[in-house]
Amino acid sequence: MLLDFVSGRVEEVIRRYGLLSPADLARELGVVPVKLPLRSAHGISFSVDGKRVVFVDASLPLARQEGVLVHEVGHQVLHPGEVRFHLRRFHRGVSWKREAEVNLFTLLYLLAWNRELFEACGYNLYAFAEAHGVPLGAAEYLARAARLRGPGFLRGLRVEVPGSEGDAA
């Protein structure tokens, strides 16, 4: 199942590198993050002399910059060797399945890492995803999985929701 695959990869990353900031995670994975104003892209990822470089739109709010960076790192983790870029209006060279995997990776990693923002969002997956620029479909997928899998599901993914038994939607 998609969720099991992606959450397993997130857990592997956290076990191996720790729960790092998006920029530190990128550097640990050999990715060079660069912030600069971009006109038509939130993020661009490519290789230069064997080194992966990720450009992140510096004009985005900080939480969205973090979301873009984890998204691009997610491609590196889940789909190493692919070169792609994400435009505001359309994607080039990307399968929708791969984007869904990476969006879920992004949401799960950020939920584990940015607990303060999750709390500030009232433990609402949709508000949290929106704050980081993660497509709401990833939040819907995760909320549905939490309802189907029952109490404690999100806790198993390192997502704590006080006063609930696993339903964070």
Side-chain angles (χ1 to χ4, degrees), residues 35-39 56-59:
K35 292 183 181 184
L36 69 151
L38 301 172
R39 290 195 171 170
V56 176
D57 185 356
S59 68

Side-chain angles (χ1 to χ4, degrees), residues 53-114:
V53 178
V54 171
F55 291 102
V56 176
D57 185 356
S59 68
L60 295 171
L62 180 59
R64 285 190 181 240
Q65 289 179 37
E66 292 165 344
V68 169
L69 187 53
V70 174
H71 180 95
E72 296 301 335
V73 165
H75 277 290
Q76 180 74 10
V77 170
L78 298 172
H79 317 123
E82 287 187 4
V83 176
R84 34 115 18 233
F85 59 96
H86 180 153
L87 294 178
R88 294 178 200 264
R89 293 189 176 89
F90 59 93
H91 300 307
R92 294 222 186 239
V94 180
S95 81
W96 291 107
K97 179 180 182 286
R98 290 195 184 307
E99 281 301 300
E101 291 169 352
V102 171
N103 290 336
L104 190 55
F105 178 95
T106 303
L107 184 58
L108 289 172
Y109 187 86
L110 289 171
L111 281 165
W113 175 72
N114 198 346

Side-chain angles (χ1 to χ4, degrees), residues 9-29:
R9 296 305 307 269
V10 170
E11 281 299 318
E12 286 174 25
V13 165
I14 292 170
R15 253 192 322 274
R16 183 169 183 184
Y17 302 103
L19 197 51
L20 303 173
S21 72
D24 288 340
L25 177 63
R27 286 188 281 274
E28 279 294 319
L29 290 166

